[in-house]
Amino acid sequence: MKSASLESGSFAVVHARFSAEKKKERGNKLPQLAEYLKPTVALLSKANATRLFLQTSTPDAIDLFEKWSVERHW
């Protein structure tokens, strides 16, 4: 946490699972990546967090969250 300038209580964690394996496993029950955004806003607000720690192995999730963050000047 120290190397990433994260302090306890100042960030929220989102784990975006969207891989071919998960899609095969969960089918239509797997949420689309864009569906993570609205709950993420609620999480950040409820936690009074100023940073988001994204856990994912999906490059599209990284692109989506980076663009989304830049658009909001985060």
Side-chain angles (χ1 to χ4, degrees):
M1 287 177 48
K2 188 175 183 177
S3 67
S5 300
L6 297 175
E7 295 179 17
S8 180
S10 69
F11 67 98
V13 178
V14 171
H15 187 183
R17 296 289 305 263
F18 197 82
S19 63
E21 296 83 9
K22 272 292 166 199
K23 189 164 176 82
K24 184 177 179 182
E25 178 184 309
R26 303 266 323 262
N28 290 336
K29 293 180 182 180
L30 185 67
Q32 297 296 308
L33 287 174
E35 293 179 59
Y36 282 86
L37 300 178
K38 188 174 179 180
T40 298
V41 170
L43 172 66
L44 289 167
S45 177
K46 186 174 182 171
N48 195 28
T50 57
R51 293 182 179 193
L52 176 68
F53 184 77
L54 177 65
Q55 291 182 296
T56 189
S57 62
T58 306
D60 288 345
I62 295 169
D63 293 342
L64 175 71
F65 276 87
E66 282 183 342
K67 180 180 177 191
W68 181 70
S69 296
V70 168
E71 288 172 353
R72 283 152 187 78
H73 306 288
W74 291 349

